[in-house]
Every structure is written in structure tokens, then in C-alpha cells.
């Protein structure tokens, strides 16, 4: 079994063998989660603390369920009501929690790099549940598991990631993961929503959906992330939907068995047609949510095993 990482901060730090190990283990958790009794004791006796400094529905719920199904003591902090509001810094909050000996710390934060910084200060395993526009590793891993189960493989596929790439940590983590597993990645979207350093990504770039979607196996749609926009990136939502929203006519350019994905939360009629999102013959959006719990169980299980293998020293 290949797993070396002490923290799950990003896809950037994982090797293809570690990704495969995690997905293989997640497959077994998918089976467990479909049983009536969904319990294992992989994390029994361990404490998991969730700190979400940004709103979240599916990510927070699935980390919480994942920990509970593996027998951990799980606490989700209400960050809105925390001492951060009284001026305490992120690091002080983390150090306070650290003194309570958690084993796993799950963190979402609006600033890119904040979770990496925190991981340097605490002596437990840290999982990045999304930091700014930087990385969202468990999302890329659950997307990978969804693709692998649906397509029967995770290599040599044509995958289009469409929409607001510039503000998306989901896109960044997916580009890295899919590249490491030797897929061909295309990015489709308006030039205003493409990251500036696009040349370094090893991807093809399109600004026309019909052209970009030609013969792809997977279509991954992204939300327009208005909370990260500080100006007019698109003319209007109507115009955006017309050019970049996924509907049946645009999808007809893809392979006949192409799957449609979206990390959620989705804006129906802005980046995707509502009926297409619900079409169980094309859309795997609900499967993505299901895979999310299994992938987070696998990630926490592997980090707990790694910690058992090399106990960290208590920091001074
Ligand atoms: C994504 C996120 O938070 O980055 N959502 C998620 O985790 N399911 C994508 C988004 O917010 O658009």
C-alpha cells in the first residue's frame, strides 16, 4: 500500500500511487456506505475537529458523516460564533484546539495558503477542505473516483473543465490530479475567467463550448464564483448561459456516453441547464456527493494510519 503524506493539503503533494491507494480504499467504503450498518472502527478513539471559516453544505456534512462512520469523536466548530470574531487569529485558534489533542483537523478557509500555514503549527493531521482559490483536494479525489467508476479507468480520457476556472480551487486540484493520472485536460471558458498562468498547466484552452466539448468523455461544469469576483467578469448571466451554459445542444458535441459533473452548489440556468443536471443518464452529480463521503473516509483512515506509523513529537 502506497501512502506517505502526513497531511492532505493539496493534490500537488500526492503521487499517482498514493492517489490510486486512496481511491482503492474509497471503493471499499462505498460498499460499506451502501449497507444498513455503516460502521467501522478505523478511527475509534480518535478526535476529529472540523473548522469551516466559509459556508459549506456538502463538504462539511460529508466530512462529519465520514468521521462518525469510522468511529471518531467528531466536533464541528461554529466558526461564526468563535473567538475569531473577537479578533483572535487563525493560528491562535488552531493552537488552542491543538492543546486539546485532536488527531484530525479539517479546515476550510477563504485565504489561499491558510491551511498549509496552519498545518505547520499543529501536531495532528490536517485536511484541506478548500482554501481560497488554491486547492480542494478531496473534491478532486471524489471527482476522480466518480470518473473511474463510471468510465472504468482514470487515464487517457478527454476531460473538459468549463466555466469560472480563474476563481476555482476545484479546477486547480482537478487539473493537477487528472494530469498526474495522464489524462488530456481542456479548459473552456471566457478569457476573463481563465487564470493568468495558464501556459504552465499543460492543458488546452478553448473559449468556444461547441469546439471545446468535441469528443470529450467527461464534462465538468463549475459555478460562477461571484464571491471571489471584484469586478465585471461577464457581461450578464443570460449572455453567459447562452455562450457557456451547458445544455443538450452543446453536450451533443461530446462523446455519446460523456458524463456531466458539477461539484455543487449549482446555479441552474446560469452554468447548467436544470433538466440536464437531473438527467440520470448523463449527470453523475448525485454520485459525486455519494463518493464524497467514501473518499473522505479513505483520506482520514490513511492519515490516521500514517500517524500511527510515525508518531509526531509533541511541540514545545
Ligand atoms: C466547491 C468549493 O467550495 O470550492 N464546492 C464544494 O466543495 N462542493 C465549489 C464551489 O463553491 O463552487
Amino acid at each position: 500500500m502506497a501512502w506517505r503524506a502526513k497531511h492532505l493539503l493539496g493534490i500537488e503533494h500526492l503521487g499517482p500511487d498514493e492517489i490510486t491507494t486512496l481511491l482503492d480504499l474509497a471503493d471499499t467504503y462505498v460498499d460499506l456506505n451502501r449497507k444498513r450498518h455503516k460502521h467501522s472502527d478505523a478511527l475509534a478513539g480518535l478526535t476529529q475537529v472540523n473548522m469551516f471559516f466559509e459556508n459549506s453544505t456538502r463538504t462539511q456534512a460529508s466530512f462529519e458523516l465520514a468521521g462518525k462512520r469510522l468511529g471518531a469523536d467528531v466536533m464541528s466548530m461554529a466558526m461564526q460564533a468563535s473567538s475569531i470574531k473577537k479578533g483572535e487569529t487563525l493560528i491562535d485558534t488552531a493552537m488552542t484546539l491543538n492543546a486539546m489533542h485532536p488527531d484530525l483537523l479539517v479546515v476550510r478557509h477563504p485565504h489561499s495558503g491558510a491551511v498549509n500555514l496552519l498545518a505547520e503549527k499543529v501536531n495532528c493531521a490536517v485536511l484541506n477542505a478548500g482554501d481560497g482559490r488554491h486547492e480542494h483536494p478531496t473534491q478532486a479525489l471524489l471527482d476522480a473516483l466518480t470518473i473511474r467508476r463510471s468510465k472504468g479507468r482514470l487515464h487517457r480520457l478527454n476531460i473538459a473543465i468549463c466555466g469560472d476556472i480563474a476563481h476555482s480551487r476545484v479546477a486547480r486540484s482537478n487539473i493537477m490530479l487528472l494530469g498526474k493520472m495522464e489524462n488530456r485536460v481542456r479548459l473552456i471558458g471566457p478569457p476573463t475567467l481563465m487564470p493568468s498562468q495558464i501556459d504552465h498547466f499543460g492543458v488546452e484552452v478553448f473559449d468556444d463550448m461547441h469546439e471545446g466539448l468535441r469528443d470529450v468523455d467527461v464534462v465538468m461544469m463549475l459555478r460562477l464564483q461571484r464571491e471571489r469576483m471584484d469586478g465585471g467578469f461577464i457581461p450578464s448571466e443570460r449572455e453567459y448561459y447562452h455562450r457557456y451554459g451547458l445544455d443538450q445542444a452543446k453536450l451533443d458535441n461530446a462523446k455519446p456516453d460523456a458524463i456531466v459533473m458539477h461539484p455543487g452548489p449549482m446555479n441552474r440556468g446560469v452554468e447548467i441547464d436544470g433538466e440536464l443536471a437531473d438527467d440520470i443518464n448523463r449527470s453523475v452529480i448525485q454520485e459525486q456527493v455519494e463518493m464524497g463521503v467514501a473518499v473522505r473516509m479513505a483520506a482520514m483512515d490513511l492519515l490516521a494510519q500514517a500517524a500511527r506509523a510515525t508518531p509526531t513529537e509533541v511541540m514545545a
Side-chain angles (χ1 to χ4, degrees):
M1 191 196 71
W3 186 266
R4 297 170 295 277
K6 277 169 56 187
H7 304 288
L8 183 57
L9 299 176
I11 298 298
E12 191 182 351
H13 313 289
L14 295 181
D17 55 337
E18 287 175 292
I19 293 169
T20 302
T21 294
L22 190 148
L23 298 184
D24 291 347
L25 181 59
D27 265 329
T28 71
Y29 284 127
V30 175
D31 295 339
L32 178 69
N33 289 337
R34 288 181 180 176
K35 294 197 175 125
R36 187 169 148 77
H37 293 280
K38 305 168 181 59
H39 262 271
S40 130
D41 58 5
L43 300 183
L46 302 186
T47 301
Q48 172 192 339
V49 177
N50 300 332
M51 295 165 76
F52 280 66
F53 295 91
E54 243 186 26
N55 295 341
S56 171
T57 309
R58 64 216 86 218
T59 305
Q60 183 166 355
S62 82
F63 264 114
E64 201 167 321
L65 265 186
K68 286 183 172 160
R69 286 187 182 165
L70 295 182
D73 295 314
V74 184
M75 179 175 72
S76 289
M77 304 272 297
M79 297 319 300
Q80 263 69 357
S82 76
S83 289
I84 293 271
K85 290 276 167 219
K86 298 182 186 167
E88 186 173 77
T89 66
L90 168 69
I91 299 304
D92 284 337
T93 306
M95 295 306 290
T96 303
L97 282 172
N98 192 49
M100 300 180 197
H101 300 292
D103 301 283
L104 295 151
L105 208 51
V106 179
V107 188
R108 169 171 284 196
H109 199 277
H111 295 146
S112 308
V115 184
N116 290 48
L117 181 69
L118 194 144
E120 286 169 15
K121 307 284 177 192
V122 298
N123 40 26
C124 64
V126 176
L127 291 98
N128 182 1
D131 64 323
R133 49 176 94 174
H134 178 226
E135 280 236 37
H136 191 353
T138 56
Q139 179 69 43
L141 288 159
L142 76 86
D143 290 339
L145 186 62
T146 308
I147 296 170
R148 195 174 82 164
R149 289 172 70 99
S150 169
K151 294 283 153 203
R153 66 180 200 276
L154 188 58
H155 57 273
R156 299 178 60 121
L157 292 166
N158 290 320
I159 300 171
I161 306 178
C162 316
D164 184 0
I165 318 275
H167 301 102
S168 177
R169 54 197 177 205
V170 175
R172 274 191 100 251
S173 291
N174 263 304
I175 292 166
M176 280 188 261
L177 189 153
L178 296 168
K180 283 179 195 241
M181 303 313 276
E182 297 181 9
N183 296 282
R184 286 184 289 271
V185 178
R186 302 178 190 174
L187 306 182
I188 316 175
T192 48
L193 294 178
M194 284 293 159
S196 48
Q197 308 246 300
I198 202 79
D199 306 345
H200 306 294
F201 285 29
V203 294
E204 276 187 278
V205 181
F206 296 84
D207 70 356
D208 180 87
M209 282 285 270
H210 292 275
E211 207 187 313
L213 289 179
R214 201 154 295 146
D215 293 327
V216 299
D217 300 285
V218 177
V219 185
M220 200 179 274
M221 300 307 300
L222 298 171
R223 185 173 64 89
L224 266 187
Q225 291 160 77
R226 294 201 172 277
E227 73 277 19
R228 299 192 210 290
M229 295 183 194
D230 49 12
F233 283 83
I234 57 160
S236 73
E237 283 188 357
R238 223 172 127 214
E239 168 82 10
Y240 182 81
Y241 181 67
H242 176 68
R243 295 205 52 191
Y244 298 103
L246 187 68
D247 57 14
Q248 191 60 53
K250 296 190 188 90
L251 184 62
D252 284 344
N253 293 285
K255 287 198 181 145
D257 62 350
I259 54 170
V260 174
M261 307 178 73
H262 194 303
M266 113 183 114
N267 293 312
R268 292 167 185 264
V270 178
E271 68 259 356
I272 190 165
D273 170 61
E275 265 181 50
L276 193 53
D278 297 333
D279 178 355
I280 55 166
N281 297 313
R282 304 310 294 268
S283 161
V284 294
I285 295 172
Q286 293 306 319
E287 278 89 334
Q288 287 175 269
V289 179
E290 182 186 5
M291 296 310 124
V293 181
V295 152
R296 287 163 183 134
M297 290 166 85
M300 292 196 290
D301 184 352
L302 289 169
L303 289 174
Q305 289 182 42
R308 267 196 293 276
T310 49
T312 46
E313 302 116 52
V314 174
M315 286 191 353

